[in-house]
Amino acid sequence: MDNSEHMQLIYVILAAAVATFLTRIGGYVMITQMKRIPPRMEAALNAVPAAVLSTLVAPAFLSGGWDVAVAMLVALVIGLRFSSLWMLLAGWLVVMAIRHVVI
Amino acid sequence: MVSAAPFGALFGALAVDNGFSVFDAVFMSATVYAGASQMVGLELFGHNVQPWLIILSIFAVNFRHILYSASIARHIRHFSGVQKFFVFFLLVDPQYAETEKRAERGEPVTFAWYLGFGLVIYLPWQLMTLLGAIFGQMIGDPKAIGLDVLLPIYFMGLVLGFRKRDNWLPVVAVSSLASIAAMHFVGSPWHVSIGAIAGIVLAAYLPLSKRHEEPVTLEHEV
């Protein structure tokens, strides 16, 4: 990362901190002013996390190599029942086993 | 609180692996202070995604905090302006949960209690980020110790965490397929914005559910 990229990173982090703070104060401000978000906008905002995060998962499944794909599938099954810490542990064990034992 | 500690270290190690310095990693933990969104931020930054989308994504991942701050408003009305600033800055999932539990038990939510509990989560989060980042610097090849698989799995866990939301499956399916297609035809980093917008537009146009009080969900992370 060169110098200008690094400055950009610092600015993005600061903007992200402000955005996060706005979410933390926003409910308080809204409840004291009693304004409502339009329902369709609320539905769209509700979908943002799953929509953005899916774009970080799906391409990695295809482009990460078969060992990563197998680890992600195992983690998905684990994740239907257990917390994300167990998903990480299971996926990590699978990928380490494939890389250091199988191959 | 205990379950958040490994994620602080994980964030530190992955941040360094994604080109952050140790300072950048701790700086982000100290100012943003919201684990899942920090992971999203560093992944997007690693992909050279446009800054506005990085900030919007972090905002969206943290959107649940709006519900928390609306809900604790009744307990902190008597705090001063400066005290409220600290209250909102420290308002992470376990902090919210403990505040509500304390109020429910009929015990007073004092500023001293709130700040004390908050620092017990905040300071270890910084320390774990620092340790993880220092550890991350010592790793030569992240693949050899399986570090590369952790971020996609972590995000998959977050996606699963939202599965009770309206239209979750269609949104995830459409965003996944659109991002894969965009990766193929347009290229990175546009697959993130194109895939995300596809799912968001779908959600806005799908029929609205009847119930409109969003249940406040508790996730066990910072």
Side-chain angles (χ1 to χ4, degrees), chain A residues 3-4 11 15 26 50 57 75 85 91 96:
Chain A
N3 228 356
S4 72
Y11 290 137
V57 177
L85 213 49
M96 289 301 275

Side-chain angles (χ1 to χ4, degrees), chain B residues 5-19:
Chain B
F7 292 112
L10 182 64
F11 169 75
L14 292 174
V16 168
D17 182 40
N18 273 264

Side-chain angles (χ1 to χ4, degrees), chain A residues 24 27, chain B residues 33 64-76 87-104 109 113-114 117-118 121 214-222:
Chain A
R24 287 181 176 151
Chain B
Y33 185 45
R64 66 183 186 284
H65 292 132
I66 287 200
L67 304 170
Y68 298 172
S69 85
S71 154
I72 68 160
R74 60 216 148 107
H75 308 309
I76 60 147
V87 164
F88 294 126
F89 180 74
L90 293 170
L91 188 58
V92 292
D93 303 283
Q95 181 91 39
Y96 167 69
E98 279 310 310
T99 306
E100 286 293 342
K101 272 190 228 158
R102 190 176 168 88
E104 208 163 284
V109 177
W113 171 82
Y114 190 101
F117 189 85
I121 311 174
E214 159 108 351
V216 173
T217 53
L218 289 177
E219 286 146 66
H220 296 285
E221 41 99 12
V222 166

Side-chain angles (χ1 to χ4, degrees), chain A residues 16-93:
Chain A
V18 172
T20 301
F21 187 77
L22 289 180
T23 67
R24 287 181 176 151
I25 198 168
Y28 180 84
V29 171
M30 273 194 322
I31 207 124
T32 45
Q33 313 245 317
M34 289 315 248
K35 273 188 202 151
R36 272 193 68 75
I37 310 172
R40 293 224 173 256
M41 187 193 234
E42 196 181 330
L45 282 171
N46 263 332
V48 174
V52 173
L53 291 163
S54 297
T55 72
L56 303 180
V57 177
F61 181 78
L62 291 183
S63 63
W66 70 273
D67 49 355
V68 170
V70 171
M72 286 175 75
L73 279 178
V74 171
L76 176 63
V77 174
I78 300 282
L80 294 175
R81 289 294 303 274
F82 302 98
S83 76
S84 58
L85 213 49
W86 294 110
M87 293 175 72
L88 287 166
L89 186 65
W92 180 77
L93 284 173

Side-chain angles (χ1 to χ4, degrees), chain B residues 56-164:
Chain B
L56 175 68
S57 303
I58 287 174
F59 180 77
V61 170
N62 289 327
F63 197 68
R64 66 183 186 284
H65 292 132
I66 287 200
L67 304 170
Y68 298 172
S69 85
S71 154
I72 68 160
R74 60 216 148 107
H75 308 309
I76 60 147
R77 282 236 159 91
H78 56 290
F79 288 10
S80 74
V82 178
Q83 288 175 333
K84 278 178 190 152
F85 173 86
F86 284 105
V87 164
F88 294 126
F89 180 74
L90 293 170
L91 188 58
V92 292
D93 303 283
Q95 181 91 39
Y96 167 69
E98 279 310 310
T99 306
E100 286 293 342
K101 272 190 228 158
R102 190 176 168 88
E104 208 163 284
R105 283 197 304 264
E107 293 171 38
V109 177
T110 61
F111 181 67
W113 171 82
Y114 190 101
L115 189 67
F117 189 85
L119 289 178
V120 168
I121 311 174
Y122 184 80
L123 295 177
W125 182 252
Q126 311 311 324
L127 181 67
M128 293 310 283
T129 302
L130 179 67
L131 294 179
I134 291 169
F135 173 74
Q137 270 192 327
M138 298 189 297
I139 300 163
D141 177 16
K143 264 195 146 172
I145 64 153
L147 220 53
D148 57 316
V149 81
L150 296 180
L151 217 40
I153 291 177
Y154 179 80
F155 293 138
M156 194 158 69
L158 292 180
V159 172
L160 285 177
F162 292 111
R163 67 181 181 273
K164 297 268 161 61

Side-chain angles (χ1 to χ4, degrees), chain B residues 29-47:
Chain B
S29 275
T31 55
V32 178
Y33 185 45
S37 73
Q38 290 177 225
M39 301 278 196
V40 172
L42 70 90
E43 167 81 4
L44 294 178
F45 208 89
H47 276 97

